[in-house]
Amino acid sequence: MTAVLSACQPGPAETRADAVKRALLSPEQLNQLILDRLSQSDFKEIDGARFYGHEADNSGSRDYVSKLSRDEVLGILTDLIEPHVVELRWADDYGQYHGGFRPKSDPKMIFGLSTSLVKMKTDTFKSAPEIPETYQSDVLYTPPSVWEEP
């Protein structure tokens, strides 16, 4: 019995993050994984309603900025969610990468992520000039919810 239990535990070279990547996460667990990553020091949460309007608050969206490049952020987000989503497909619209992703554990749910270049949003951040002066990219995240097709 002990051998079976120890075989299930991550080996010395395996990190907790590696073990989480292999696990099938519920939408709530995936949401927490994303929020935990966006809460790290290379991201800073900003007031989405201030810059994107009150609709951002209504959807539960969270907004972040980062000193990392947009491509670095895209890599972080891709590595984070790829093992947990049905299909990983980012759309590229005028420098913004975005997508709606379905968790493998519950494909009727969908969550949204996007990242773009802050320097392209001078009007958006007009009231906070320190953002384009300090940060390279932004992230908008909408947590999983049931997708009701139009």
Side-chain angles (χ1 to χ4, degrees), residues 44-49 51-52 62-65 125 131 138:
K44 177 184 176 193
E45 189 167 5
I46 59 172
D47 179 2
F51 301 110
Y52 301 105
R62 311 265 302 254
D63 306 286
Y64 302 84
V65 290
F125 297 116
I131 290 179
D138 66 346

Side-chain angles (χ1 to χ4, degrees), residues 86-108:
V86 173
E87 181 178 23
L88 183 70
R89 188 182 322 179
W90 293 98
D92 180 1
D93 288 323
Y94 305 100
Q96 179 190 60
Y97 290 103
H98 61 90
F101 305 99
R102 296 179 185 276
K104 287 180 181 177
S105 64
D106 192 351
K108 72 178 182 290

Side-chain angles (χ1 to χ4, degrees), residues 5-133:
L5 291 176
S6 63
C8 294
Q9 296 179 0
E14 187 176 41
T15 66
R16 182 183 182 294
D18 292 331
V20 167
K21 279 185 179 180
R22 285 194 326 272
L24 189 61
L25 300 181
S26 70
E28 295 80 14
Q29 291 169 316
L30 182 54
N31 178 58
Q32 193 58 55
L33 180 71
I34 294 167
L35 291 175
D36 288 349
R37 181 60 186 94
L38 293 173
S39 296
Q40 292 181 16
S41 63
D42 48 354
F43 293 94
K44 177 184 176 193
E45 189 167 5
I46 59 172
D47 179 2
R50 177 179 174 196
F51 301 110
Y52 301 105
H54 292 289
E55 286 299 313
D57 283 347
N58 295 340
S59 66
S61 292
R62 311 265 302 254
D63 306 286
Y64 302 84
V65 290
S66 178
K67 291 181 181 180
L68 298 173
S69 72
R70 180 198 57 196
D71 291 336
E72 289 172 304
V73 170
L74 183 64
I76 288 168
L77 297 174
T78 296
D79 289 346
L80 187 66
I81 69 170
E82 186 171 28
H84 309 292
V85 297
V86 173
E87 181 178 23
L88 183 70
R89 188 182 322 179
W90 293 98
D92 180 1
D93 288 323
Y94 305 100
Q96 179 190 60
Y97 290 103
H98 61 90
F101 305 99
R102 296 179 185 276
K104 287 180 181 177
S105 64
D106 192 351
K108 72 178 182 290
M109 305 284 280
I110 193 166
F111 66 92
L113 275 167
S114 70
T115 183
S116 60
L117 301 168
V118 169
K119 69 180 179 183
M120 295 176 68
K121 296 183 170 185
T122 52
D123 285 346
T124 302
F125 297 116
K126 186 174 24 180
S127 65
E130 70 279 1
I131 290 179
E133 291 169 5

